[in-house]
C-alpha cells in the first residue's frame, strides 16, 4: 500500500540518523542560548533536578539505569567547578546529556503495528459508541453513522500531499487520542506523529502501542532548558523532515468541555522554527484546528 511512502515511515527508516540530527541541533541551540561560563551551572542544575526527580517521583517507564547515570554524571561534572571555561563541558558532558534525552524522547513507527492498532481502535469505538454491538459483536463495524466528521477534509487530503499538516485539536477526554487516530486513518491521511505523556507508558499495553505508532515521549516532570530544548528540537526536525504532527495546545484536558482559551504554545513554537527553514525550499506547513464535540465526556465529573 501507499503507507510505505508516508513521511513518518521514511523518517524512521533512518531513525539513528534522525536522532543524531536532533542531538546535534539541540546542542547548537543550547550553546547559542547559554554562555560558556554559565554552562557548568546549567548542567549541575540539571543533574540536581534529575536526582531530585528520582528521589521523589519514580515511574515504571523511567529508564532502568536512571539513578546510576545521573549519580555517575555528577562525579564527572564536579571537577569542573573551578574550571567552568573548560571546553570539555560543551564537547563531552553536554553531548552525553542531550544524547540521553534524545534517546528517551524518540519513538518508533511500524507499519504492521499501525494496521493492527487501526483495527483495534475501530472495534473499540464501534462497541463503545453502539451498545447494539454487544448483541452482534462480529457484525459490520461501520462508524460513519455514529461519528460525524465535519469540515473541509477533501482539501485537507490535498494539503497533506503538498505540505506538512499540524493538527491542533481541543482536548476533552482520554478518548480523544483514539478518536483522532481513527479519523486521520478514515480520511485517508498519512499517519501523524504525536506526543504522549511518559506516565502513560507505565501501562504495558499503552507502551506497546505508543512505542510503535510514532509517538514520542513527553516527561512533564522535566522543566529545565536542556530537556525542553531537546523536546522542541525533536518536533521541529520531524516537521522539517515532512512528518505530519498533532499537538494539544490546551496542554491538558478541558474538564468542562469548553474550548480552551489559554493555550500552551511551547511545542507549537517549533512549527514556526521549522517553517523558517522550509521557506528555503518553498514548502508550507498548514496548521489545522480541530474541535471535538461529545454528548458527554466519559471521565467527566
Amino acid at each position: 500500500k501507499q503507507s510505505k511512502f508516508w513521511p513518518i515511515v521514511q523518517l524512521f527508516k533512518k531513525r539513528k540518523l534522525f536522532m543524531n540530527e536532533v542531538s546535534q541541533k539541540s546542542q547548537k541551540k543550547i550553546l547559542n542560548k547559554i554562555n560558556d561560563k554559565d554552562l557548568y551551572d546549567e548542567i549541575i542544575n540539571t543533574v540536581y533536578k534529575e536526582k531530585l526527580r528520582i528521589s521523589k517521583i519514580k515511574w515504571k517507564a523511567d529508564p532502568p539505569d536512571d539513578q546510576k547515570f545521573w549519580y555517575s554524571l555528577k562525579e564527572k561534572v564536579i571537577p569542573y567547578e573551578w574550571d567552568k571555561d573548560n571546553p570539555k563541558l560543551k564537547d563531552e558532558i553536554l553531548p552525553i546529556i542531550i544524547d540521553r534525552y534524545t534517546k528517551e524522547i524518540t519513538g518508533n513507527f511500524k507499519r504492521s503495528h499501525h494496521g493492527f492498532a487501526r483495527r483495534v481502535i475501530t472495534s473499540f469505538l464501534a462497541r463503545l459508541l453502539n451498545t447494539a454491538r454487544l448483541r452482534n459483536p462480529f457484525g459490520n463495524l461501520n462508524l460513519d453513522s455514529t461519528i460525524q466528521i465535519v469540515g473541509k477534509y477533501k482539501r485537507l487530503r490535498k494539503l497533506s500531499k503538498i505540505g506538512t499538516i499540524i493538527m491542533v485539536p481541543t482536548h476533552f477526554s482520554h478518548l480523544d487520542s483514539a478518536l483522532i487516530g481513527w479519523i486521520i486513518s478514515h480520511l485517508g491521511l498519512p499517519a501523524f506523529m504525536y506526543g504522549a505523556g511518559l506516565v502513560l507508558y507505565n501501562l504495558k499495553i499503552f507502551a506497546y502501542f505508543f512505542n510503535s505508532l510514532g509517538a514520542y515521549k513527553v516527561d512533564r516532570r522535566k522543566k529545565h532548558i536542556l530537556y525542553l530544548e531537546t523536546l522542541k528540537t525533536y518536533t521541529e526536525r520531524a516537521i522539517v523532515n515532512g512528518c505530519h504532527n498533532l499537538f494539544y495546545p490546551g496542554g491538558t484536558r478541558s474538564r468542562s468541555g469548553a474550548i480552551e482559551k489559554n493555550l500552551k504554545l511551547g511545542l507549537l513554537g517549533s512549527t514556526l522554527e521549522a517553517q523558517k527553514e522550509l521557506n528555503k525550499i518553498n514548502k508550507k506547513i498548514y496548521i489545522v484546528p480541530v474541535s471535538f464535540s461529545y454528548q458527554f465526556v466519559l471521565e467527566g465529573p
Side-chain angles (χ1 to χ4, degrees):
K1 288 187 177 182
Q2 295 299 314
S3 61
K4 66 181 179 182
F5 300 112
W6 287 350
I8 194 170
V9 173
Q10 298 302 314
L11 180 72
F12 283 110
K13 277 185 179 178
K14 49 180 183 178
R15 187 171 181 266
K16 288 185 179 180
L17 286 174
F18 173 63
M19 289 172 66
N20 185 57
E21 179 186 354
V22 171
S23 180
Q24 294 298 321
K25 292 282 185 180
S26 299
Q27 292 172 52
K28 187 177 179 180
K29 287 185 179 182
I30 289 166
L31 292 173
N32 284 337
K33 290 186 175 181
I34 302 173
N35 296 326
D36 287 353
K37 291 182 179 179
D38 297 329
L39 184 59
Y40 171 83
D41 293 329
E42 195 59 55
I43 289 175
I44 205 69
N45 177 55
T46 298
V47 173
Y48 168 75
K49 287 183 176 178
E50 290 289 11
K51 288 176 64 181
L52 194 64
R53 171 184 61 80
I54 292 167
S55 65
K56 286 187 174 182
I57 317 171
K58 201 167 184 180
W59 291 343
K60 291 180 181 178
D62 289 329
D65 65 337
D66 233 5
Q67 185 168 334
K68 180 181 177 182
F69 175 84
W70 290 108
Y71 276 80
S72 64
L73 188 68
K74 180 186 175 184
E75 299 303 317
K76 293 179 181 177
V77 177
I78 288 296
Y80 297 107
E81 183 176 6
W82 309 110
D83 188 17
K84 295 182 180 181
D85 290 327
N86 196 309
K88 287 187 177 181
L89 280 168
K90 64 178 181 181
D91 295 336
E92 296 180 13
I93 304 298
L94 181 63
I96 290 174
I97 297 173
I98 303 305
D99 282 347
R100 183 177 180 85
Y101 282 153
T102 301
K103 186 178 179 181
E104 285 181 17
I105 293 167
T106 304
N108 206 345
F109 185 85
K110 297 177 181 177
R111 289 167 59 207
S112 58
H113 289 201
H114 177 267
F116 175 68
R118 180 186 176 184
R119 292 191 294 274
V120 169
I121 289 172
T122 301
S123 178
F124 166 73
L125 290 175
R127 283 154 179 75
L128 180 69
L129 301 177
N130 185 356
T131 54
R133 306 299 324 160
L134 298 175
R135 294 195 297 270
N136 183 20
F138 301 105
N140 182 31
L141 300 177
N142 183 9
L143 290 169
D144 287 347
S145 60
T146 309
I147 300 174
Q148 303 295 323
I149 305 174
V150 180
K152 300 178 180 179
Y153 46 84
K154 289 182 180 178
R155 187 181 179 195
L156 185 57
R157 279 197 290 265
K158 290 180 181 178
L159 292 178
S160 71
K161 295 175 183 177
I162 61 174
T164 305
I165 303 295
I166 308 296
M167 275 194 187
V168 283
T170 52
H171 195 12
F172 298 157
S173 163
H174 284 307
L175 192 63
D176 295 346
S177 294
L179 183 59
I180 194 69
W182 178 82
I183 289 169
I184 287 169
S185 178
H186 187 66
L187 293 181
L189 296 171
F192 277 53
M193 185 179 283
Y194 58 96
L198 185 65
V199 65
L200 296 174
Y201 285 76
N202 288 332
L203 296 172
K204 288 185 178 180
I205 185 65
F206 285 154
Y208 166 78
F209 280 112
F210 290 145
N211 277 327
S212 46
L213 292 178
Y216 53 89
K217 304 178 188 74
V218 179
D219 191 341
R220 293 186 174 89
R221 297 169 298 174
K222 298 175 181 176
K223 301 185 183 298
H224 40 276
I225 188 172
L226 301 192
Y227 177 79
L228 294 177
E229 200 61 54
T230 307
L231 181 61
K232 288 179 184 177
T233 304
Y234 183 91
T235 58
E236 178 200 320
R237 301 321 300 172
I239 294 168
V240 168
N241 279 275
C243 283
H244 307 298
N245 262 263
L246 185 150
F247 303 130
Y248 290 109
T252 188
R253 285 168 292 149
S254 170
R255 307 305 292 153
S256 67
I259 292 176
E260 304 98 331
K261 293 181 179 179
N262 298 318
L263 305 182
K264 296 181 179 179
L265 303 178
L267 286 180
L268 196 56
S270 61
T271 303
L272 299 178
E273 294 297 316
Q275 183 63 79
K276 289 178 185 177
E277 187 168 336
L278 291 174
N279 282 338
K280 298 172 185 176
I281 57 173
N282 198 29
K283 189 174 181 181
K284 297 294 182 184
I285 296 170
Y286 301 99
I287 298 177
V288 181
V290 178
S291 177
F292 293 119
S293 178
Y294 298 95
Q295 288 178 313
F296 62 90
V297 178
L298 293 179
E299 66 269 26

